[in-house]
Amino acid sequence: KMGHFYYACKAFDVLERLDPDPEFWEGKRGAAIGVFQRAVAGKLGGEADKLQEVVDILRSTGNPKADHVVNRVIKPWAKENKVRLDI
């Protein structure tokens, strides 16, 4: 309700940069999908910039699975729903 997925995504990003443990990637991916889910549900409201930041975090990961999440899930939804994202 209060952006927990967003902050979890940022925290897992920092943890993954410090230690490339696959569990940190899984946590970051799950939190990113949580932010996306809130966007789909229309609950981000004036915080749509958080979805952009999550996309940027995923893109900076260098994990091929991140490209899948961005290009096959988030990007098509954003295009279909006229949500402007710099992807």
Side-chain angles (χ1 to χ4, degrees):
K1 182 177 178 179
M2 297 169 56
H4 297 349
F5 287 121
Y6 170 73
Y7 292 110
C9 184
K10 290 178 64 111
F12 278 116
D13 184 49
V14 171
L15 290 170
E16 185 185 36
R17 289 172 194 263
L18 295 172
D19 177 12
D21 185 320
E23 288 189 22
F24 294 145
W25 157 248
E26 295 295 329
K28 178 164 56 173
R29 181 178 66 176
I33 293 300
V35 172
F36 175 64
Q37 184 179 17
R38 288 183 55 79
V40 169
K43 295 185 179 178
L44 283 181
E47 302 173 339
D49 58 320
K50 289 183 178 178
L51 184 59
Q52 177 66 58
E53 189 171 350
V54 165
V55 166
D56 294 341
I57 288 170
L58 289 174
R59 289 233 133 165
S60 70
T61 298
N63 186 321
K65 293 178 183 179
D67 287 334
H68 176 79
V69 171
V70 171
N71 294 323
R72 302 281 174 121
V73 180
I74 298 175
K75 186 176 179 179
W77 175 85
K79 184 177 180 181
E80 184 177 313
N81 291 277
K82 297 175 179 60
V83 174
R84 186 174 180 277
L85 292 176
D86 296 325
I87 299 179

